[in-house]
């Protein structure tokens, strides 16, 4: 018996897809576009009928489930067997899950990962996550989240790479490669068997939610869309990201899950994206709530015609697309295109040849010692030292430490948001990490900071206060009206300060927090994000100087909530702000400047930048910028050299500064290195309102230094 062409692995994928499309009914086609969650026996008939193309694993592994008993692979195999052997065409399902920062070996939240400014570390972390997830039967992870955020009240700021499109773009590419294992700038024809498909989300502009309230409406100009919000998505697509998730919100009245210009014209046509678009959870059905669709049928037509290929969890595609095609409201060509995009990814993942997972694989790959070590390095590299009057690093010998504060012995808080596979009991807390590394004559007292504890604290050499937010205070649907510390924490620091012993504040958080007072009162402040399963160890590595902090802020820290939105790459205005002048864009009751600027972070050593030179490349619009970086302190350290550019005169006002290059530079005490940034058309152009690159000749300014306030700068000219 001859096998059908689509089952023949020797044939080119396009031929196999063509063959399969020719055999499918409209209902089966709509079924491929239908994703449903937490599949179980109740859904097996639908799977048999070919009505479900993808399963979304939303089950929590911590909600009363014993992890050992809940092996996804078994469940995946059970469902897959029905799809493959009992449905008419035997098309396998693709299983997706929120693999956001690590899987079981939980990594720091993405905002913390971004603070490493290290594509290498992020790629390595996502490789670990992909391998762990794939071993559990997961084929597809819903990350990276590439929403630029300028409002830290928005809870999902924790899930993204911060405020800068250039940094986020570089990290996006690394995150995608880590997941997918691709070394080419294209969607892999064949994914490695131990990797998963990435999903760039939430396309696009979700981070601009008004008032920082999740799901809220946005107003974003084309200029800002193309130059700021779309940029990291473009980088992810360029590096071969297989899928994209359309967002919940609307821009100027058009919900993103019905936004034809962005989904079709920009993403698919202009950028040539060949993977598929999945809606966010329920977003197609929510077109009714947005008030642009009358019912499910209407919503399905709008979303499909706009370019959403897969409907996450509303069933409206399944229920309506066949009729919409029969009625001529959605073309069969469009339906076929959506199906073909999904099948292409299923073929690339190898699902037709190897649909099943190995139920024993996860035991061998989860929580490997080398994975834990990599996450610990990543966590330590993500910490940002915001203040240090010399108290840090601590010496682990002969030291009496008093540890207090609400997060001193917390597990869940360290895991961060979106960790369905993290296990609280596998987290090392800060208290455990400090206790585990104290020298023989050192003491650790852990206490609530009450009157009784004052004596204890007074007789200590240092007080470490673990402050900040719990994990559940950031992430989806966890927005705050202010960025102040949770109630009572400032008062805690204030009362501690009266004891007159050195205070080290370790602040955990999923967003920039208002640390104005804490920074005044504490002797040292270390911002630790939500650092993941090995986060306590990572903090201790930094506190005791095994790791010299090298994290830098991927997002501005305002002085107060009232300054929001505050970001470094703003436009100049007609009244730029000279120091102490009146009548420029400013407040009368607050400084204009942030508490800590984008790119900021201290080290246990100091760095100096000098000898900045530029040299034009012959015959092309490109300039090289060289600078010497010196470690001027007395211990080895790593700095992140940052290169900022300004286009002085252009047809549209360009930002006062834009990051266009960065490099992690490790230097021994006293050592100097010369580093170079190349600025060519990619770095020097901006996008017009249609997303076309525009490079205008003229003068540019460039600065190189340790943060976005870098002062060492010069000018250069670009001629075309
Ligand atoms: C979130 C997405 C997530 C999806 C699937 C939605 O609520 O916005 O980021 O990937 O659920 O769980």
């Amino acid at each position: 018996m001859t096998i059908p062409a689509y089952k023949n692995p020797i044939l080119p994928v396009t031929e196999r897809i063509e063959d399969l499309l020719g055999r499918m009914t409209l209902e089966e086609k709509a079924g491929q576009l239908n994703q449903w969650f937490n599949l179980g026996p109740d859904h097996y008939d639908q799977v048999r009928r070919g009505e479900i193309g993808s399963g979304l694993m939303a089950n929590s592994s911590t909600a009363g489930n014993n992890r050992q008993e809940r092996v996804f692979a078994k469940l995946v195999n059970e469902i897959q067997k029905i799809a493959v052997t009992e449905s008419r065409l035997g098309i396998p399902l693709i299983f997706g899950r929120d693999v956001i920062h690590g899987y079981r070996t939980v990594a720091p939240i993405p905002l913390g990962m971004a603070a490493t400014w290290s594509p290498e570390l992020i790629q390595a972390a996502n490789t670990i996550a992909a391998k762990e997830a794939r071993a559990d039967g997961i084929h597809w992870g819903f990350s990276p989240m590439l929403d630029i955020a300028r409002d830290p009240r928005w809870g999902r700021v924790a899930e993204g790479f911060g405020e800068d499109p250039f940094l986020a773009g570089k990290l996006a590419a690394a995150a995608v490669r880590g997941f997918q294992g691709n070394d080419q700038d294209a969607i892999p024809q064949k994914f490695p068997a131990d990797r998963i498909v990435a999903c760039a989300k939430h396309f696009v502009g979700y981070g601009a939610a008004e008032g920082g309230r999740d799901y809220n409406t946005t107003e974003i100009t084309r200029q800002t869309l193309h130059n700021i919000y779309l940029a990291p998505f473009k980088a992810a697509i360029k590096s071969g990201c297989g899928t994209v998730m359309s967002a919940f919100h609307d821009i100027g009245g058009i919900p993103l899950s019905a936004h034809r210009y962005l989904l079709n014209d920009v993403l698919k046509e202009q950028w040539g994206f060949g993977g598929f678009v999945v809606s966010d959870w329920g977003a197609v059905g929510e077109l009714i709530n947005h008030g642009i669709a009358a019912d499910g049928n209407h919503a399905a037509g709008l979303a499909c015609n706009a370019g959403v290929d897969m409907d996450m969890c509303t069933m409206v595609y399944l229920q309506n697309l066949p009729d919409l095609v029969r009625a001529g409201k959605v073309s069969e060509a469009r339906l076929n295109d959506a199906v073909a995009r999904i099948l292409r990814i299923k073929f690339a993942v190898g699902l037709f040849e190897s649909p099943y997972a190995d139920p024993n694989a996860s035991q061998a790959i989860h929580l490997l010692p080398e994975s834990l070590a990599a996450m610990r390095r990543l966590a330590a590299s993500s910490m940002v030292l915001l203040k240090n009057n010399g108290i840090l690093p601590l010496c682990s010998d002969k030291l009496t430490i008093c540890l207090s504060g609400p997060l001193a012995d917390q597990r869940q808080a360290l895991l961060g948001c979106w960790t369905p596979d993290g296990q609280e009991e596998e987290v090392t807390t800060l208290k455990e990490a400090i206790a585990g590394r104290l020298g023989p004559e050192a003491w650790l007292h852990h206490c609530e900071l009450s009157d009784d504890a004052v004596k204890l604290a007074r007789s200590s050499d240092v007080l470490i206060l673990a402050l900040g937010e719990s994990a559940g205070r950031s992430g989806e649907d966890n927005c705050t009206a202010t960025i102040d510390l949770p109630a009572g924490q400032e008062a805690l620091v204030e009362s501690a300060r009266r004891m007159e012993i050195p205070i080290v504040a370790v602040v955990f958080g999923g967003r920039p927090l208002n640390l104005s007072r804490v920074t005044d009162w504490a002797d040292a402040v270390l911002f630790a994000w939500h650092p993941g399963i090995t986060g306590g160890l990572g903090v201790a590595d930094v506190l005791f100087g095994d790791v010299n902090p090298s994290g830098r802020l991927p997002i501005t820290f305002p002085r107060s909530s009232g300054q929001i939105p505050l970001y470094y790459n703003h436009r100049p205005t007609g009244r730029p702000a000279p120091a102490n002048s009146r009548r420029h864009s400013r407040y009368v009751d607050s400084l204009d400047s942030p508490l800590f600027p984008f790119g900021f972070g201290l080290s246990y050593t100091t760095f100096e930048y000098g000898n900045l030179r530029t040299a034009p490349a012959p015959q092309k619009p490109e300039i090289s910028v060289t600078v010497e970086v010196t470690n001027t302190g007395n211990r080895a350290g790593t700095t992140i050299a940052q290169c900022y550019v300004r286009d002085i005169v252009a047809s549209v006002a360009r930002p006062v500064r834009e990051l266009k290059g960065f490099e992690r530079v490790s230097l021994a005490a006293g050592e100097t290195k010369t580093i170079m940034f190349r600025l060519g058309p990619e770095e020097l152009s901006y996008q017009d309102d249609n997303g076309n690159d525009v490079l205008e000749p003229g003068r540019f300014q460039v600065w190189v230094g340790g943060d976005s306030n870098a002062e060492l700068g010069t000018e250069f000219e670009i001629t075309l």
Side-chain angles (χ1 to χ4, degrees), residues 601-657:
L602 300 170
S603 160
Y604 295 150
T605 184
T606 45
F607 301 96
E608 260 176 43
Y609 293 79
N611 207 2
L612 178 78
R613 281 157 296 153
T614 60
Q619 317 291 340
K620 51 179 176 177
E622 185 183 293
I623 199 105
S624 63
V625 181
T626 49
V627 69
E628 286 172 10
V629 194
T630 304
N631 179 345
T632 47
N634 51 15
R635 61 162 72 212
T638 299
T639 186
I640 296 165
Q642 302 162 36
C643 177
Y644 294 89
V645 174
R646 175 171 181 181
D647 186 347
I648 301 173
V649 180
S651 306
V652 283
R654 303 295 303 133
V656 292
R657 283 186 186 205

Side-chain angles (χ1 to χ4, degrees), residues 56 98 142 156 201-202 245 248 280-281 312 418 476:
L56 194 165
D98 285 293
F142 302 129
R156 302 199 81 167
K201 72 185 188 186
H202 306 83
M245 187 184 292
F248 289 126
D280 202 343
W281 187 302
M312 183 187 281
W418 282 113
E476 186 175 353

Side-chain angles (χ1 to χ4, degrees), residues 487-538:
Q489 295 196 11
E490 272 186 5
L492 182 69
V493 186
E494 194 176 14
S495 62
R497 157 178 176 246
R498 292 197 208 102
M499 291 180 217
E500 292 181 356
I501 63 163
I503 298 173
V504 175
V506 176
V507 187
F508 297 95
R511 57 164 59 79
L513 291 164
N514 175 1
L515 300 177
S516 299
R517 292 204 179 87
V518 172
T519 307
D520 278 349
W521 294 334
D523 295 85
V525 180
L526 182 69
F527 203 81
W529 315 102
H530 291 138
I533 187 169
T534 54
L537 297 162

